[in-house]
Amino acid sequence: MMTSFALLCLSIAIIECMAGILGNGIILAASSSSCIGSKTWPPYDMIVISLSSSRFIVQSWNTLDSLMTIFYENFYYTENVYLVPKTIFTFLSYSSLWFGAWLSVFYSIKVASFTQSFFIWLKLRIARLVPWMLLTSWLCSFTAAISFVWDDHSVHENSTAPSSMTNSSAWTTTRKDSLGLLILISNAGIGMPLILSVVSSVLLIRSLWIHTRRMQNNASGFRDPSLEAHLKAIKSVCSFLFLYIIYFICVLFILFNIFSHLSNGEMICVVLMAACPTGHSFVIIWSNPKFQKLPARIWHHTNCPIRTSSLHSFLSIK
């Protein structure tokens, strides 16, 4: 039975997802427009297009999921029906985590200044590696999602089997084996992008902080645009890392069914899972002038006819 708190949280999550759809749509449109007509796509645009498109789809799906939960709860959460949306949610969540991690790795390789030979090797070859990185992410996400839900479904079948047909100790052993396989698959699907994101973000923050301290020591007292750009980049990376970790924890809680269905804990996770990708999308827009220009152009074209008609009305009155 849905409580008033659950209804409130689902409504907030829908609003957050709608804002995220708008933000990711802006990023996707701006990145795609710069790639249309070009034979080779820049690696940054390839990552951002993959990330924004996956988040656009996952937040659209979460909006539909929340609406189905509100209006068709009894039908939607039956075993046979709920298996499909959980598979889709798992795949989209894994994909979003992978692409977000690759964006952090790309930032770190391109911006950070390290002299290690492996780092230099990556910097020279990152453009050729990006398509393979993205393809591998799709395959890993698909495999992990199918395996995860298959294992979860097997555990559910064992738990609902009649006692006359299932030995209690055998069921416990099967459940432990299934849980171990589930943990292994989850670590392969979620743990690796989390490690990549944290390590690359920490390295990038360290590199930017070192450069910022040097600029502050050499500052002449006037406003330095380079110093402000470095401080803005540090804030962006820290914000992304914070939002990424929260999103990772919430996805883990939902996939492992840590909280009971429609409990306060699960609803808080749903709200945070909708808020974190939305927040990161607007951080990307805020930190990149290319993404800021598209809303300004849309706003300008939207207001131009209004201003023109207002001017004509004013002249006619005169």
Side-chain angles (χ1 to χ4, degrees):
M1 182 68 181
M2 184 178 299
T3 62
S4 57
F5 181 76
L7 181 61
L8 175 63
C9 289
L10 288 173
S11 302
I12 294 173
I14 291 173
I15 296 173
E16 291 172 339
C17 287
M18 296 298 290
I21 291 170
L22 175 62
N24 285 294
I26 292 172
I27 297 172
L28 184 60
S31 300
S32 300
S33 62
S34 62
C35 294
I36 293 175
S38 59
K39 295 181 180 180
T40 58
W41 288 15
Y44 174 77
D45 286 331
M46 293 177 65
I47 297 175
V48 170
I49 288 173
S50 299
L51 177 61
S52 59
S53 59
S54 66
R55 285 181 172 173
F56 186 93
I57 297 172
V58 73
Q59 289 182 310
S60 300
W61 180 261
N62 287 340
T63 302
L64 178 62
D65 183 81
S66 298
L67 291 173
M68 292 292 291
T69 302
I70 293 173
F71 295 106
Y72 301 101
E73 178 188 355
N74 294 331
F75 168 75
Y76 190 55
Y77 283 93
T78 58
E79 177 191 352
N80 294 330
V81 175
Y82 187 61
L83 191 64
V84 174
K86 188 167 185 179
T87 306
I88 296 174
F89 169 78
T90 306
F91 170 71
L92 294 173
S93 299
Y94 282 178
S95 301
S96 179
L97 287 168
W98 271 110
F99 297 144
W102 291 134
L103 184 62
S104 296
V105 171
F106 182 82
Y107 279 149
S108 179
I109 292 173
K110 282 296 184 180
V111 178
S113 55
F114 296 107
T115 57
Q116 285 79 5
S117 58
F118 178 70
F119 188 83
I120 297 173
W121 181 86
L122 280 177
K123 182 170 287 192
L124 295 174
R125 292 167 176 81
I126 186 64
R128 285 181 288 176
L129 292 175
V130 164
W132 294 105
M133 290 157 53
L134 298 176
L135 179 60
T136 303
S137 301
W138 282 111
L139 294 176
C140 289
S141 300
F142 179 77
T143 304
I146 296 298
S147 303
F148 183 96
V149 177
W150 186 11
D151 186 70
D152 189 41
H153 181 62
S154 300
V155 172
H156 181 83
E157 282 186 340
N158 286 333
S159 63
T160 55
S163 57
S164 59
M165 297 174 60
T166 307
N167 184 277
S168 177
S169 60
W171 173 82
T172 303
T173 303
T174 304
R175 182 173 175 81
K176 287 182 178 179
D177 293 340
S178 299
L179 186 60
L181 178 61
L182 186 145
I183 293 173
L184 179 63
I185 295 172
S186 178
N187 289 336
I190 301 180
M192 185 56 67
L194 177 69
I195 294 171
L196 288 172
S197 180
V198 171
V199 172
S200 58
S201 298
V202 170
L203 290 175
L204 180 56
I205 292 171
R206 179 177 176 272
S207 177
L208 290 171
W209 181 250
I210 292 173
H211 281 281
T212 302
R213 292 301 297 262
R214 290 175 182 172
M215 291 180 181
Q216 288 175 340
N217 294 333
N218 298 329
S220 58
F222 295 98
R223 195 171 176 181
D224 188 355
S226 299
L227 179 59
E228 292 184 359
H230 275 69
L231 291 174
K232 185 178 180 180
I234 291 174
K235 292 177 183 178
S236 299
V237 177
C238 290
S239 300
F240 172 52
L241 182 60
F242 177 73
L243 294 171
Y244 190 95
I245 292 175
I246 292 178
Y247 183 75
F248 164 79
I249 294 173
C250 292
V251 169
L252 204 65
F253 283 174
I254 294 296
L255 291 180
F256 279 97
N257 299 319
I258 300 297
F259 301 107
S260 58
H261 176 56
L262 294 179
S263 64
N264 292 346
E266 184 184 49
M267 290 299 99
I268 292 173
C269 287
V270 169
V271 171
L272 292 175
M273 276 175 33
C276 290
T278 301
H280 182 238
S281 301
F282 285 101
V283 168
I284 294 176
I285 295 173
W286 170 72
S287 60
N288 195 321
K290 181 176 72 172
F291 300 138
Q292 297 173 5
K293 293 177 182 178
L294 181 62
R297 288 202 303 266
I298 295 174
W299 179 259
H300 175 73
H301 288 299
T302 303
N303 287 343
C304 274
I306 300 175
R307 292 176 182 174
T308 305
S309 60
S310 300
L311 180 60
H312 285 302
S313 301
F314 176 78
L315 292 174
S316 62
I317 294 172
K318 286 290 186 179

